[in-house]
Amino acid sequence: MFSWLLGKNTALSKHVDTFSKTSVAPASTPVQQAYFLVLDLELTGLNPRKDHIVSIGWVPIRHQEIVLSDARHYLINSPVSVGQSAVYHGLHDHQLKSSNDLADILTELLSQYAGYVFVAHHSRLDEQFLRIACQRCFGKTPRFKFIDTMQMEWQRLLRQGKVVKHDALKLPSCLKRHGLPDMTNHHALEDAYSSALLLLSQLKLGGNSMTLGDLYLLSR
Amino acid sequence: MEVADVTTFLADITPFNQLNDAALGQLAGQINVYYYQAQDRVNINTDRLMMVRTGIFTLYSDQQQLLTKLQSGDFYGYQHLLTGLSDNDSLICEEDGLVYWLAADAFHQCRYQYKNVDIFFQRLFSRRLHQYREQQQSSRFTLKISDIVQQRKIAIRPEQTVQAAAKQMSDSRVSSLLVEEHDTLVGIVTDRDLRNRVLAQGLPASTQVGQIMTRQPQHIDRHAYLYEAVQQMSQHNIHHLPVMEQNLCCGMLTATDIMRSQQDHPVYLIGEIHRQTSVDGLERCSQQIPTLAITLSKQQVPAHEAGHIITTITDALTQRLIYLAQQQLGAAPCVFSWLAFGSQARMDQSLNADQDNALLLEKEPTGAVGEYFIALADIVCKGLDQCGIILCPGNIMATNVELRLSLKGWSGRFARWIATPTPEALLKASIFFDMRVIDGSKGLFNALQEDILQRTTEAPLFLYHLAQAALQRTAPLGFFKNFILEPDGKHRQGLDLKKRGISLITDLVRVYALSAGIYEINTRRRLQQLTIQGVLDNKDSQNLNDAFDLLAQLRWEKHQHDLQQGHDVTNMLDPMEISGLARHQLKDGFAVINSAQSSLKHRFCRDM
């Protein structure tokens, strides 16, 4: 009845529907068989209601291998100035002018990666931003399945009986702890790649019997 | 879309460091990344190239024998990709690490597109250490006798007449004939002989060739270098050299043949040396050596041939100095041999070599005989020093009274080293076991060499200590295949290519050669002989030979570099100054030395 209100969004919203309908592998699936999409967003700030996405980077993991041929990095048109956030991600307004519409990128994300388990370091923030972005673009919020490498790291350290300090869960500290190369520099693709390396290491440490369900529990 | 971490890493490793940014980005975009945990087994029967990013992986044969360890920058799977054949090896992760996988298509595409990448993997596959360089045309500076001498033997029998000889020479349009009896060379006869020894003497045409021929003429091996022939002709002032192959005469080399083949050969320097009448003149000749070295290097003459040429020049200088000394002092009071040790003896002398020489005398060096050779040694050693071959800091020179001995004296000295070896004495003495006669009597020298080899072949204790001495130093390769750099007085950190490389091979090959009674002195020839006699197996010997050539080549290039920069010539190499591929090969070379040293230890130091 109110479809005219949504206008062009009707056509687009079907991506959201398809995405939501495509079921992620059941919780009993061994992690070796699951498909993951590790992503990272660079933002104008930390408030999902007020701030915006300036760039997005992702790498898929299939059969425990990071597939670089499907790695993507996009700069996003921001409706407001990136302002002071440029200090972190190094992206300035003039660079973003020739960049992409958020709706196009979200469309690619939803249509290509339905059925994937999404992964981010401190995923709550990324998930909130993605949900709100989808709501704005398509008028609908898809059902994401997210796991969080930061949360998993925290659980792992707690189980080892370690006192977890404030800085110990930041991505560079985690990479160092796992003996992985640290190239993080607040670049969405580099950080997504680093998080993917962290996830591979965490999956190995979890042992052969780990399932997706275990990951969900650890990410809570 | 490229990830900077991956691209940066690829840009750092051989052979991809030769690709441009765009090609690197494209390559990086085709990679899959996998994380292995210790104990994981790598599935190697995939059609992909494995590149180790971090961690350590151990390769085992199907008999569970440890083959090698792969670490950052190493590859696996190229064997299968290149040949389609799979191994039964297994690859186990030893320390957690990341691996980059490159699909077959991407690998082959890269290989076809970049020749150097292809060459790199082909070489890696054959595990050979050959130089990374286009196959060069055979340089005219390193022509061999066999390259120019005609396969045409014109011979006559000694009982034939000089008239028959003259007719044969004029029919064949040659200026000389070989004289053979039962297929054995007994002499030569030249048109000059017919003039001076027949016509001028009024001998009849029926005179037999055997009466006027030059008996037991100087001759040369068919596989010798041409400049050695030049050297021999200049030294003896002759123009005809019978060419021998395995004791059979196969032709004649004339001065004209040589002239025709190389009008402007820089090694005519040797001819010039033999024309000098003063030490100052020799010094002027020797000043051309660095220029000659640079020319040789520009012609891409391989290091071992260049070493041979430089040694030949030192030999010529020594011979001429001995000649000049005798002009001054009169003829020697007894037969003597002028000996060279070390690199000059092995014919792998480099530009910064010092003197290592001695005198072997027919009589005891007492009284007038002693005085004469003191004077001779003094003139020759000082003369060599003036010509840039510096006095030996360790005083291994004929001017040292302990190194002017009779055959009995030398024999006794070697006998002591061999019969009652002490480790310290052998460390210093090992140089004496590489010995060659430069001038004077060959017979005297042969007697000494025979005497020594007879003793060394039956002296396990001596060989034990000699092997121990050869094992004192190791190749500068760390446990994880990293270079161990050492500081040098003047220079920055580096690898001493001589002390920690070339010498190690020379030392260990010497032990084998002495144990097997091999007469050869040159390291490459010793290796050949050791293979022929079955002392070393073909592969080990080939690997050592390759490693030796590689190190000699790097040192030769380093010296060239020093010369061109006007620096002092040194053996210290900064591994960062050579290409990634050369570094890779250098590591392989050092690994060859390591394994050869452990075989040596196993063979000679077991039962003691």
Side-chain angles (χ1 to χ4, degrees):
Chain A
M1 180 181 357
F2 298 109
S3 64
W4 61 272
L5 269 175
L6 300 170
K8 64 182 174 123
N9 292 348
T10 323
L12 292 172
S13 69
K14 76 170 188 291
H15 292 301
V16 178
D17 294 336
T18 322
F19 183 86
S20 299
K21 264 187 247 159
T22 313
S23 52
V24 169
S28 60
T29 310
V31 291
Q32 291 86 350
Q33 291 168 22
Y35 284 11
F36 299 96
L37 187 76
V38 190
L39 53 80
D40 185 61
L41 309 176
E42 296 301 323
L43 308 162
T44 55
L46 295 178
N47 185 337
R49 307 247 158 244
K50 283 181 4 208
D51 292 314
H52 298 273
I53 300 171
V54 288
S55 70
I56 180 166
W58 69 66
V59 285
I61 296 178
R62 294 189 277 265
H63 307 294
Q64 285 188 296
E65 281 184 15
I66 301 172
V67 183
L68 289 181
S69 53
D70 288 339
R72 293 290 181 270
H73 182 243
Y74 294 115
L75 302 181
I76 307 292
N77 280 325
S78 177
V80 296
S81 164
V82 295
Q84 284 305 305
S85 69
V87 173
Y88 295 102
H89 46 65
L91 298 172
H92 296 271
D93 291 336
H94 66 92
Q95 286 168 294
L96 299 177
K97 269 187 192 138
S98 58
S99 53
N100 306 276
D101 277 333
L102 184 57
D104 293 343
I105 305 309
L106 288 175
T107 303
E108 181 180 341
L109 183 69
L110 296 182
S111 59
Q112 302 276 318
Y113 293 101
Y116 278 66
V117 176
F118 280 36
V119 186
H121 199 69
H122 191 29
S123 65
R124 190 171 300 166
L125 189 68
D126 300 84
E127 186 176 356
Q128 281 176 338
F129 269 91
L130 278 183
R131 287 170 73 95
I132 287 172
C134 287
Q135 184 65 46
R136 282 187 188 143
C137 294
F138 309 132
K140 269 186 179 178
T141 309
R143 266 199 297 275
F144 292 114
K145 268 289 186 192
F146 258 98
I147 60 167
D148 186 348
T149 49
M150 186 177 88
Q151 214 45 35
M152 284 161 61
E153 188 69 1
W154 184 58
Q155 295 272 4
R156 199 176 69 83
L157 292 175
L158 279 187
R159 283 182 189 191
Q160 291 174 359
K162 290 196 177 136
V163 182
V164 184
K165 283 191 192 144
H166 173 65
D167 273 357
L169 293 176
K170 287 190 170 170
L171 188 52
S173 311
C174 292
L175 293 170
K176 197 175 167 199
R177 192 178 307 115
H178 284 254
L180 295 165
D182 175 16
M183 297 283 283
T184 55
N185 56 0
H186 291 285
H187 175 281
L189 178 58
E190 301 299 331
D191 286 7
Y193 175 72
S194 293
S195 309
L197 293 181
L198 179 60
L199 177 68
L200 290 182
S201 177
Q202 287 171 333
L203 295 182
K204 282 286 181 180
L205 289 171
N208 283 330
S209 58
M210 208 149 64
T211 62
L212 275 183
D214 296 331
L215 295 185
Y216 298 143
L217 281 175
L218 287 170
S219 297
R220 256 194 274 173
Chain B
M1 193 56 58
E2 57 182 284
V3 173
D5 178 45
V6 179
T7 320
T8 317
F9 177 71
L10 292 179
D12 239 22
I13 60 167
T14 324
F16 302 120
N17 53 2
Q18 307 183 10
L19 305 188
N20 62 29
D21 287 352
L24 273 176
Q26 203 197 355
L27 190 69
Q30 292 169 296
I31 278 169
N32 277 12
V33 185
Y34 191 91
Y35 183 86
Y36 285 95
Q37 207 180 2
Q39 314 302 325
D40 278 353
R41 175 184 288 264
V42 181
N43 177 12
I44 52 176
N45 285 320
T46 59
D47 215 12
R48 299 197 288 184
L49 179 71
M50 172 185 172
M51 301 177 235
V52 180
R53 167 68 171 91
T54 59
I56 297 171
F57 296 82
T58 314
L59 187 68
Y60 295 95
S61 71
D62 50 355
Q63 271 93 35
Q64 291 308 304
Q65 192 193 357
L66 190 153
L67 295 174
T68 185
K69 284 182 196 274
L70 305 181
Q71 53 150 14
S72 187
D74 285 336
F75 299 95
Y76 194 82
Y78 51 87
Q79 307 90 325
H80 184 230
L81 286 167
L82 292 175
T83 61
L85 304 171
S86 47
D87 296 321
N88 289 323
D89 300 343
S90 49
L91 189 59
I92 310 290
C93 176
E94 193 168 298
E95 196 176 278
D96 296 7
L98 289 169
V99 161
Y100 293 170
W101 288 104
L102 186 66
D105 290 349
F107 172 73
H108 291 305
Q109 194 195 352
C110 185
R111 203 154 71 78
Y112 294 140
Q113 219 165 347
Y114 303 96
K115 192 160 158 263
N116 288 347
V117 173
D118 187 36
I119 292 173
F120 174 83
F121 284 108
Q122 299 282 2
R123 292 275 159 81
L124 204 55
F125 175 64
S126 60
R127 294 300 283 179
R128 297 292 299 275
L129 303 164
H130 283 298
Q131 276 295 293
Y132 182 55
R133 201 175 263 178
E134 306 279 316
Q135 203 62 36
Q136 61 213 30
Q137 298 294 314
S138 88
S139 157
R140 63 198 181 87
F141 294 134
T142 59
L143 284 175
K144 293 192 163 188
I145 308 290
S146 52
D147 293 328
I148 68 153
V149 75
Q150 290 179 352
Q151 280 288 18
R152 189 168 71 133
K153 189 165 108 177
I154 303 157
I156 193 166
R157 289 191 311 279
E159 68 274 16
Q160 287 183 271
T161 63
V162 290
Q163 186 172 22
K167 183 161 189 322
Q168 194 170 349
M169 283 161 84
S170 107
D171 288 348
S172 318
R173 297 164 161 242
V174 291
S175 59
S176 60
L177 292 176
L178 299 159
V179 186
E180 285 194 315
E181 199 166 29
H182 311 301
D183 286 326
T184 311
L185 181 75
V186 293
I188 62 168
V189 56
T190 67
D191 51 6
R192 207 161 96 186
D193 296 337
L194 295 181
R195 187 175 69 231
N196 295 350
R197 297 179 189 166
V198 182
L199 289 174
Q201 305 292 325
L203 292 180
S206 60
T207 309
Q208 290 193 348
V209 168
Q211 281 179 269
I212 57 105
M213 69 183 179
T214 304
R215 290 173 188 276
Q216 290 166 347
Q218 291 281 326
H219 54 79
I220 192 153
D221 190 85
R222 189 165 172 266
H223 300 291
Y225 291 113
L226 203 52
Y227 55 81
E228 291 179 280
V230 174
Q231 146 95 330
Q232 210 168 333
M233 287 184 181
S234 306
Q235 192 190 347
H236 300 285
N237 191 26
I238 51 177
H239 300 98
H240 300 89
L241 273 179
V243 179
M244 309 292 284
E245 185 163 32
Q246 288 170 350
N247 295 325
L248 286 177
C249 185
C250 59
M252 181 82 89
L253 180 76
T254 68
T256 326
D257 292 339
I258 298 177
M259 294 299 237
R260 212 178 290 135
S261 74
Q262 35 198 280
Q263 301 288 346
D264 58 342
H265 197 301
V267 177
Y268 267 105
L269 185 55
I270 288 168
E272 217 178 302
I273 286 172
H274 282 290
R275 281 195 296 276
Q276 297 306 314
T277 52
S278 69
V279 179
D280 290 341
L282 290 175
E283 188 190 355
R284 272 194 302 282
C285 287
S286 68
Q287 280 160 358
Q288 296 176 37
I289 297 174
T291 326
L292 168 70
I294 289 170
T295 316
L296 291 173
S297 155
K298 278 189 187 140
Q299 298 286 336
Q300 304 208 333
V301 172
H304 66 90
E305 290 177 16
H308 207 125
I309 293 174
I310 289 168
T311 310
T312 313
I313 294 172
T314 309
D315 288 1
L317 287 169
T318 313
Q319 286 155 359
R320 195 61 189 172
L321 281 164
I322 291 171
Y323 173 83
L324 291 177
Q326 285 182 306
Q327 292 289 308
Q328 196 180 323
L329 303 170
C334 70
V335 171
F336 70 96
S337 306
W338 183 275
L339 307 178
F341 301 115
S343 64
Q344 191 184 356
R346 290 190 304 268
M347 303 214 79
D348 57 12
Q349 220 179 358
S350 65
L351 292 169
N352 58 349
D354 55 359
Q355 296 181 34
D356 291 310
N357 50 43
L359 272 167
L360 165 62
L361 309 173
E362 186 196 24
K363 295 181 185 162
E364 290 303 322
T366 48
V369 175
E371 294 297 322
Y372 178 90
F373 285 107
I374 290 174
L376 180 109
D378 192 55
I379 293 171
V380 177
C381 291
K382 277 190 185 149
L384 284 172
D385 188 49
Q386 194 180 334
C387 293
I389 302 149
I390 58 165
L391 297 172
C392 174
N395 203 16
I396 300 178
M397 286 183 295
T399 45
N400 180 346
V401 62
E402 288 175 40
L403 301 179
R404 284 192 310 271
L405 302 177
S406 65
L407 179 58
K408 205 174 131 205
W410 278 112
S411 169
R413 171 171 266 224
F414 276 99
R416 269 198 306 285
W417 279 325
I418 296 164
T420 53
T422 63
E424 308 78 47
L426 277 191
L427 265 183
K428 288 186 199 138
S430 62
I431 183 176
F432 292 104
F433 287 88
D434 294 346
M435 178 169 65
R436 189 165 60 89
V437 57
I438 306 301
D439 202 5
S441 164
K442 263 191 190 147
L444 198 56
F445 167 77
N446 289 345
L448 177 60
Q449 200 187 18
E450 235 165 80
D451 178 69
I452 295 168
L453 286 177
Q454 216 158 33
R455 292 176 202 273
T456 58
T457 44
E458 292 151 5
L461 186 67
F462 163 75
L463 294 172
Y464 167 82
H465 283 293
L466 197 66
Q468 285 290 347
L471 295 169
Q472 289 261 321
R473 280 181 307 218
T474 53
L477 202 58
F479 184 72
F480 296 116
K481 277 181 77 180
N482 52 317
F483 290 123
I484 301 168
L485 303 182
E486 51 196 322
D488 177 33
K490 268 182 266 174
H491 303 272
R492 287 170 302 150
Q493 292 218 319
L495 300 166
D496 190 323
L497 290 173
K498 185 182 176 199
K499 281 196 190 141
R500 306 290 299 262
I502 297 169
S503 296
L504 301 187
I505 299 181
T506 316
D507 286 348
L508 69 92
V509 171
R510 180 189 305 117
V511 180
Y512 283 111
L514 292 177
S515 79
I518 285 168
Y519 283 82
E520 298 288 357
I521 303 297
N522 178 273
T523 302
R524 301 171 99 247
R525 294 219 187 130
R526 276 178 169 168
L527 280 170
Q528 277 166 17
Q529 274 302 318
L530 287 166
T531 318
I532 291 169
Q533 298 194 8
V535 181
L536 286 179
D537 83 41
N538 201 6
K539 203 175 124 227
D540 290 346
S541 154
Q542 186 65 47
N543 280 340
L544 270 174
N545 194 86
D546 288 346
F548 186 73
D549 282 355
L550 174 81
L551 288 162
Q553 192 67 36
L554 285 171
R555 178 171 71 155
W556 172 239
E557 282 164 15
K558 170 70 170 56
H559 287 180
Q560 291 307 315
H561 181 78
D562 289 343
L563 269 184
Q564 277 159 12
Q565 304 280 316
H567 295 161
D568 279 352
V569 171
T570 78
N571 299 321
M572 292 294 274
L573 176 82
D574 178 354
M576 294 321 283
E577 282 177 359
I578 55 176
S579 77
L581 183 69
R583 273 205 297 281
H584 222 94
Q585 292 177 323
L586 189 56
K587 284 185 181 177
D588 278 355
F590 285 143
V592 165
I593 296 180
N594 280 342
S595 92
Q597 283 193 332
S598 60
S599 316
L600 183 80
K601 194 171 177 183
H602 186 69
R603 199 169 311 184
F604 293 101
C605 305
R606 207 172 18 172
D607 305 328
M608 294 289 165

